[in-house]
Amino acid sequence: MKAMIRIGVVILVIFLIGFYNGPSFQENEELENEPFNVDSNENADIPSSESLTRPKSGVSVYIGKTADQMVEAYGEPERMDPGRNGVTWYIYMVENGYMQAAVKNNEVKALFVMGNAYDSTPYFTGQSVQDIYQFTMINSEIIVEDDGRVYQLDLSEQDLHTRLLVQFEDIYAQLMIDSVSNQLLGVYYLDKETLLDQQPYEGSVEGGPLADQNQMVLDEVNEANERQMFDIVNFIRSSMGLNELIWDNELAEAAKELSKSRELMSSESAEEPPGLSDRLDTLNRTYQSAGENTASQYFLTPAVVHGWLNSEDHRETMLNDTFTHTGSGVYGSYFTQDFVQYDQDEEEESYSIQNEQ
């Protein structure tokens, strides 16, 4: 009998060791974009709209100018990424600075800035919400007139705490706020056309976000968004004193598989895609932990990352200091980023995206 008990104890210990040494997972719920509420009327009287004076310095002065003028000021970009509806994103990355500028027909249409290497006057990364409220005219209703139609954008209570929209005469600034630190994460300056085109609210553009683009162009846009997600997440991690993640192609494939499945499920009947652990079974490498962030109904990569940062579970995954590698997958309006902590002897088998490009 004692021998049987000892055998049972040994089996139990082996089981517990196997259980606790298995990889842990952080698989978060899908974060769905909550667009601004909007009312629109055709041929309506245009109400008076209060706005701030447009800045005379900083990156926003280049909105409406040529791409050549911007390049003359900031140099050649790190790369040029294809975007939706004929936009090209000029990507700039320097120490303590990240900027991506939307250019269409050689005209600068929008600029997103993080860090203090680029002057984003009158705002700056790390600025407190209290400071912003002291000198900014905060309106919960923004009036936009375009081609005989008047749009009224209504900001919710959540918007007023995490993504303020401020009008500066003929341009707008979306202030992306980190609700945990109550500080400004980044500033997104954009003109009226871009504001309406990028659908920050429901029903703003007829034909949908991917109209008039063939699959080859869409694939290139998806890949560009994947690179931007990688860059932005690493910039945020680095600014918070965390290790930068290494790009992994296999993780990117696992992430892409989920985003594509989700997009197809939204338009046709399809089975639920496999979970994270099943998709990572193809890695053929051992890992200690893994996590996954997903988002839907987004069309701007900085907005996706900002949304994750303001969601407790997604933030925890994105800023987990044990993760070593990552891969992102984008398909249409669906975004996925997978994170893994590889065993030490497995890390040498991966390489960073910088070495790939």
Side-chain angles (χ1 to χ4, degrees):
M1 176 64 70
K2 290 183 178 180
M4 293 295 293
I5 293 175
R6 283 196 291 269
I7 292 173
V9 170
V10 170
I11 293 174
L12 178 61
V13 169
I14 293 174
F15 172 78
L16 291 175
I17 291 175
F19 177 79
Y20 285 110
N21 283 346
S24 61
F25 293 91
Q26 298 177 351
E27 203 166 354
N28 302 315
E29 292 185 4
E30 183 176 282
L31 181 68
E32 186 173 350
N33 188 24
E34 296 183 2
F36 296 147
N37 293 323
V38 62
D39 292 320
S40 65
N41 296 287
E42 194 171 4
N43 300 320
D45 293 333
I46 302 174
S48 60
S49 181
E50 295 180 307
S51 67
L52 298 173
T53 302
R54 183 167 174 171
K56 298 296 191 295
S57 62
V59 298
S60 68
V61 303
Y62 290 94
I63 293 183
K65 293 187 176 181
T66 67
D68 297 335
Q69 290 174 299
M70 182 184 65
V71 169
E72 184 178 353
Y74 296 106
E76 294 292 336
E78 182 86 9
R79 64 176 188 269
M80 296 183 184
D81 289 348
R84 293 176 49 249
N85 299 335
V87 165
T88 299
W89 289 101
Y90 285 42
I91 308 297
Y92 290 87
M93 293 185 292
V94 298
E95 185 177 357
N96 196 33
Y98 175 90
M99 179 169 69
Q100 59 179 78
V103 175
K104 186 174 183 179
N105 298 326
N106 199 40
E107 180 184 351
V108 180
K109 308 291 290 181
L111 296 120
F112 172 71
V113 179
M114 288 190 303
N116 296 318
Y118 299 107
D119 181 6
S120 54
T121 299
Y123 306 107
F124 58 88
T125 296
Q127 190 173 16
S128 70
V129 173
Q130 293 83 355
D131 185 27
I132 292 172
Y133 268 81
Q134 283 182 1
F135 73 88
T136 300
M137 185 184 303
I138 304 298
N139 294 315
S140 61
E141 298 177 352
I142 302 293
I143 305 299
V144 183
E145 186 275 332
D146 181 60
D147 195 24
R149 182 176 289 274
V150 178
Y151 298 86
Q152 178 177 302
L153 281 65
D154 297 319
L155 277 64
S156 67
E157 190 69 23
Q158 179 71 11
D159 294 330
L160 294 174
H161 284 89
T162 61
R163 53 171 189 173
L164 293 170
L165 187 63
V166 182
Q167 184 174 359
F168 290 90
E169 297 176 355
D170 60 337
I171 67 171
Y172 302 83
Q174 189 172 33
L175 308 183
M176 297 186 179
I177 297 168
D178 178 355
S179 61
V180 173
S181 66
N182 281 322
Q183 294 179 340
L184 188 63
L185 171 71
V187 186
Y188 183 42
Y189 288 106
L190 62 169
D191 64 10
K192 178 174 61 177
E193 179 185 352
T194 307
L195 175 67
L196 297 177
D197 173 69
Q198 292 191 350
Q199 295 193 95
Y201 52 84
E202 203 167 1
S204 59
V205 178
E206 296 181 0
L210 303 179
D212 302 324
Q213 295 196 17
N214 61 44
Q215 189 59 50
M216 182 178 296
V217 172
L218 295 180
D219 288 342
E220 293 176 350
V221 172
N222 291 335
E223 292 174 4
N225 287 331
E226 292 164 1
R227 290 193 297 268
Q228 293 166 20
M229 190 189 309
F230 173 78
D231 292 334
I232 295 172
V233 167
N234 262 345
F235 183 87
I236 293 174
R237 286 176 63 95
S238 178
S239 67
M240 295 185 176
L242 302 173
N243 62 298
E244 292 190 16
L245 300 169
I246 299 171
W247 179 267
D248 186 277
N249 282 334
E250 290 181 313
L251 290 179
E253 286 299 320
K256 174 80 83 174
E257 180 183 350
L258 180 63
S259 289
K260 187 172 183 178
S261 296
R262 290 295 189 190
E263 179 72 38
L264 294 177
M265 285 179 64
S266 69
S267 58
E268 59 187 54
S269 177
E271 296 182 358
E272 187 73 20
L276 176 60
S277 61
D278 291 332
R279 282 180 283 116
L280 295 187
D281 281 345
T282 61
L283 290 178
N284 296 319
R285 293 205 292 262
T286 57
Y287 57 93
Q288 299 180 26
S289 60
E292 182 171 75
N293 282 341
T294 57
S296 63
Q297 305 308 308
Y298 282 91
F299 306 105
L300 181 69
T301 308
V304 177
V305 179
H306 172 251
W308 284 339
L309 196 66
N310 282 290
S311 171
E312 182 178 359
D313 292 339
H314 297 85
R315 181 191 185 94
E316 180 182 350
T317 298
M318 185 169 64
L319 301 182
N320 188 321
D321 61 358
T322 65
F323 290 140
T324 57
H325 293 69
T326 189
S328 48
V330 178
Y331 199 86
S333 65
Y334 285 77
F335 290 69
T336 303
Q337 186 167 18
D338 287 339
F339 306 81
V340 158
Q341 178 190 9
Y342 282 123
D343 291 341
Q344 188 67 32
D345 57 349
E346 298 280 0
E347 292 188 16
E348 297 179 358
E349 299 185 22
S350 292
Y351 51 88
S352 68
I353 193 173
Q354 292 91 340
N355 293 330
E356 181 190 6
Q357 292 181 332

